Amino acid sequence: MPSLEVNGYEMSYAEAGRGAPVVLVHGSLNDQRYWAPQMEPLGQRFRVLAPSLRHYWPERWDGVGETFRIDQHVEDVAGFIEALGAGKVDLVGHSRGGHIAFRVAERHPGLVRRLVLAEPGGELDESLGGVPGGAGKQAGAFAAAAELLKAGDTEGAMRRFAEHTGGPGAWERRSAVRKGINLDNAQTLLGQIDERRRPYGRAAAEAIRVPTLLVNGAQTQPQFIAIVEALERVMADVRRVVIPNAAHGMSSDNPAEFNAAVLDFLG
């Protein structure tokens, strides 16, 4: 598979199509393969690139070290875009990848033409209606899953994390393909314990001036709706679409509707 050296790391990626570049950023326990349902449909009109973030598959990370940080991944995505040498890109991020895409647009506005945030993960600070200490629920879910992983209960760890994002039974509802991708990336849960993800704030959201599409699944969890609604209220140039018959993993739950919404936005 192709790769680019970014900040001293060989970042592998999947690619399809030709034309203006669209970069897809995956979320927790995933990698470039998560975007398989998007590659060909979007690739009919764009050059689509889906990198695997640092320490995700195909790397077999042991969970040791201090380079699994949100800020590291933000700078890696920015570096990946710069290494393409194609100018501004359309940037699409899902879940944790949505948070990373948000930060790239905030900190590196010269790299992003348009932004798609599919249920960006994280918490809200008080300026966006969050409550003090609101990060505890997310941090608790990460820690509980990581403890199960350390104890050797890998599938239990996957189930705990899946239920945080998708509710009861979320792990059992996942396809064998999605489960396999998650299991390949299980060790990254150890990095998420101390990834240092800051909450979304009003000033950061207002600083993003590029056209932005917010996407959520019709059957998703309340914490993701709260983030999407808060960002919708304050971002400068924003549209929103709801994907029917889909939860948090809307790009795989209902790829036809998700792809159509993204293509309509990108024009």
Side-chain angles (χ1 to χ4, degrees):
M1 66 188 74
S3 66
L4 287 173
E5 184 172 341
V6 177
N7 298 326
Y9 182 80
E10 282 295 323
M11 184 176 288
S12 66
Y13 61 94
E15 182 174 4
R18 299 177 64 182
V22 177
V23 174
L24 311 177
V25 186
H26 65 81
S28 298
L29 293 175
N30 285 296
D31 56 59
Q32 59 187 257
R33 297 172 294 173
Y34 174 80
W35 296 108
Q38 281 65 59
M39 299 302 291
E40 182 179 351
L42 272 60
Q44 292 178 11
R45 285 164 52 183
F46 298 96
R47 180 190 179 194
V48 185
L49 304 110
S52 286
L53 298 174
R54 184 182 297 253
H55 298 319
Y56 289 86
W57 181 93
E59 181 183 352
R60 295 295 182 178
W61 188 48
D62 60 6
V64 176
E66 298 185 355
T67 53
F68 195 99
R69 300 281 190 269
I70 282 286
D71 287 348
Q72 179 69 66
H73 287 149
V74 168
E75 294 311 309
D76 285 349
V77 171
F80 181 83
I81 295 169
E82 290 173 335
L84 293 175
K88 292 185 178 182
V89 306
D90 294 321
L91 187 59
V92 181
H94 170 249
S95 194
R96 183 178 187 272
H99 187 103
I100 291 166
F102 176 96
R103 297 299 180 190
V104 172
E106 174 199 2
R107 301 173 190 175
H108 301 277
L111 298 179
V112 180
R113 179 171 53 246
R114 290 169 295 198
L115 182 65
V116 179
L117 302 178
E119 294 196 12
E123 304 284 348
L124 302 170
D125 74 9
E126 292 176 74
S127 70
L128 287 177
V131 298
K137 182 178 180 181
Q138 175 177 274
F142 291 171
E147 286 305 311
L148 288 168
L149 186 66
K150 290 176 184 178
D153 185 4
T154 302
E155 186 153 334
M158 299 298 98
R159 181 175 293 104
R160 177 68 183 85
F161 194 92
E163 290 183 348
H164 171 66
T165 59
W171 176 249
E172 286 72 22
R173 290 192 296 271
R174 289 190 179 176
S175 68
V177 170
R178 284 189 67 192
K179 285 180 176 179
I181 293 172
N182 294 162
L183 289 165
D184 282 344
N185 291 289
Q187 292 294 109
T188 61
L189 281 177
L190 302 177
Q192 288 204 234
I193 298 171
D194 188 31
E195 65 179 356
R196 304 180 189 179
R197 191 188 316 191
R198 289 183 291 279
Y200 298 102
R202 186 184 188 100
E206 290 178 339
I208 296 174
R209 313 299 295 181
V210 299
T212 300
L213 178 68
L214 298 171
V215 189
N216 66 270
Q219 283 87 47
T220 198
Q221 297 295 295
Q223 68 264 28
F224 297 113
I225 297 295
I227 292 170
V228 168
E229 290 180 344
L231 296 179
E232 184 181 21
R233 287 194 299 269
V234 300
M235 293 185 79
D237 186 354
V238 66
R239 290 166 51 184
R240 180 179 173 191
V241 65
V242 178
I243 305 300
N245 304 312
H248 183 56
M250 79 289 292
S251 53
S252 58
D253 291 345
N254 192 346
E257 292 282 353
F258 178 84
N259 297 341
V262 171
L263 287 168
D264 180 66
F265 174 68
L266 296 181

